[in-house]
Amino acid sequence: MRVLVIRGRNIASLGGPFELDMETGPIARSGLFAITGPTGAGKSSLLDAMCLALFDRTPRLAGTSRVSIGAADTDEGDRLKATDVRGLLTRGAAEGEAEVVFIGVDGRRYRARWAVNRARKRPDGKLQKQAMSLVCEDTQEALGGSTKGTTLAAIEAKLGLDFDQFRRSVLLAQGQFAELLHAPAAERGQLLERVTGATIYAEVSRAAYARAKLERERLGDLSAKADGLAVLSDDARAALRLQLQGAAEDVRSLAARERSLRDELAWHARNDALEADRGVAWAQLEEAVSAWVALEPGEGGALGALPSGRVSGPDAAGSQAARATWLGELPAQLAAAHERLVEARALDH
């Protein structure tokens, strides 16, 4: 919260309009300034105007006196209590007002206004009820509703301070500084947090405490689980380590055995394929010999007996050997038969 402008009209000893602009001029550049002057110059009236616009209260009228003030010939109902802030209207004035422009806790610019007037706006008229308003100057939105109570609540929310906190920190009346110093620690800490904008540190502290509590609970759960786990002795760990080494050796041995079996399976698969190819070739050879015999019936016997290609069982090896021998002799037999055939055809002519 930061007060930017205090202005008003006919408040206490400040008759007529007045304004203290802290945004421009030497005051804006000074950073620190003092309000000085003789008694009755309007120093306290300026601060009264600020409090009226913000809280409809002032420190010097904060008591609970029930004493009524007024001329002797004034009706009791028209007299004011000694603590009634309407009594700050300049004597002889028909109306008065106070206005404060400030930066709220949300960073926006607001204008709070307090006003009072006498009936028919005549200096001798009866004082009417005071009115208050709050406007956001950034959006020109009227806040706080139509009643003084809702407006005061809206102003307090935008300031971030209530009247007691404001007068103890922002506006310390004469002799009241000790009241702040001797306030309870919790109340003083809360007030200083609001004044300095350090509420974020309280929120961080609460969040850190909650997180620490959660982590302690998690640590407790993990410790309980750890306590439930049995710790192996050195001998038990050594025995398990030996079992692990033995299992690793078994795995390596089984892997080698698997590779050997896969190689053997591959050999059998290739052998079966070769046997199938051999059977096809032998059948083709049988067909070729049969065709040769059919073309030259007289020479068929010269090729000799063709070993059977359909032998299996115990005699399979012998049959394969016979076929191999026969195949080795076949080229020579074919050549001799061809020569005899050529001779026979020559004799025919």
Side-chain angles (χ1 to χ4, degrees):
M1 185 278 296
R2 179 186 173 194
V3 176
L4 302 177
V5 181
I6 302 173
R7 62 171 69 97
R9 181 165 56 95
N10 298 329
I11 300 297
S13 61
L14 295 175
F18 59 88
E19 180 178 272
L20 175 61
D21 188 349
M22 290 173 277
E23 289 188 286
T24 59
I27 294 180
R29 296 191 299 270
S30 65
L32 181 65
F33 62 91
I35 301 174
T36 64
T39 301
K43 302 184 298 298
S44 296
S45 298
L46 186 63
L47 301 179
D48 285 338
M50 178 173 62
C51 291
L52 286 174
L54 296 176
F55 300 106
D56 189 39
R57 300 169 64 183
T58 67
R60 61 175 168 176
L61 297 179
T64 58
S65 174
R66 296 182 178 274
V67 176
S68 298
I69 300 175
D73 57 349
T74 303
D75 293 338
E76 183 65 27
D78 294 337
R79 294 186 177 186
L80 298 179
K81 300 296 183 184
T83 56
D84 194 324
V85 294
R86 292 178 297 171
L88 291 173
L89 178 65
T90 301
R91 185 181 299 275
E95 56 185 347
E97 61 184 358
E99 192 173 86
V100 170
V101 178
F102 66 93
I103 301 296
V105 292
D106 57 359
R108 290 189 172 186
R109 185 184 179 103
Y110 296 93
R111 182 177 68 253
R113 185 175 184 273
W114 177 94
V116 67
N117 62 275
R118 292 183 179 275
R120 300 180 300 279
K121 294 188 179 180
R122 293 170 56 92
D124 58 350
K126 182 180 179 181
L127 277 171
Q128 305 298 303
K129 291 291 185 181
Q130 64 267 47
M132 297 191 71
S133 64
L134 176 66
V135 175
C136 177
E137 291 194 341
D138 293 339
T139 62
Q140 297 304 313
E141 178 186 4
L143 306 172
S146 58
T147 66
K148 186 177 70 172
T150 54
T151 301
L152 284 170
I155 293 174
E156 181 178 321
K158 300 306 179 184
L159 283 175
L161 297 169
D162 59 23
F163 177 69
D164 289 333
Q165 292 169 334
F166 185 84
R167 70 182 180 85
R168 289 182 180 180
S169 56
V170 180
L171 180 65
L172 287 175
Q174 184 177 4
Q176 291 184 344
F177 186 73
E179 184 178 345
L180 171 63
L181 297 179
H182 292 91
E187 181 180 348
R188 189 169 62 249
Q190 182 182 19
L191 177 60
L192 291 175
E193 280 184 355
R194 292 194 178 187
V195 172
T196 60
T199 53
I200 182 64
Y201 300 109
E203 295 176 3
V204 170
S205 176
R206 286 191 291 270
Y209 175 79
R211 178 63 181 272
K213 180 180 179 182
L214 177 62
E215 295 301 331
R216 282 195 296 270
E217 292 175 352
R218 290 178 177 176
L219 179 60
D221 293 340
L222 292 175
S223 298
K225 292 179 180 179
D227 293 340
L229 297 176
V231 179
L232 296 176
S233 64
D234 293 341
D235 294 339
R237 285 198 299 273
L240 289 175
R241 191 173 295 109
L242 290 175
Q243 291 181 11
L244 179 61
Q245 293 174 355
E249 290 294 335
D250 292 341
V251 169
R252 286 193 290 271
S253 176
L254 289 174
R257 176 61 177 165
E258 180 186 11
R259 288 192 296 272
S260 176
L261 290 175
R262 287 183 183 277
D263 293 342
E264 187 174 347
L265 286 174
W267 183 89
H268 283 291
R270 289 194 299 273
N271 185 67
D272 291 343
L274 290 174
E275 287 294 335
D277 293 342
R278 186 182 294 111
V280 171
W282 191 258
Q284 293 175 349
L285 181 59
E286 288 180 343
E287 293 177 0
V289 171
S290 298
W292 173 267
V293 172
L295 290 173
E296 302 292 341
E299 296 297 331
L303 297 177
L306 181 66
S308 174
R310 304 293 194 276
V311 180
S312 61
D315 296 332
S319 177
Q320 292 177 359
R323 287 198 298 271
T325 301
W326 187 85
L327 286 173
E329 297 173 352
L330 180 61
Q333 293 178 3
L334 287 174
H338 180 71
E339 291 176 357
R340 288 193 297 272
L341 179 61
V342 171
E343 294 175 355
R345 287 179 178 175
L347 293 174
D348 288 341
H349 294 289

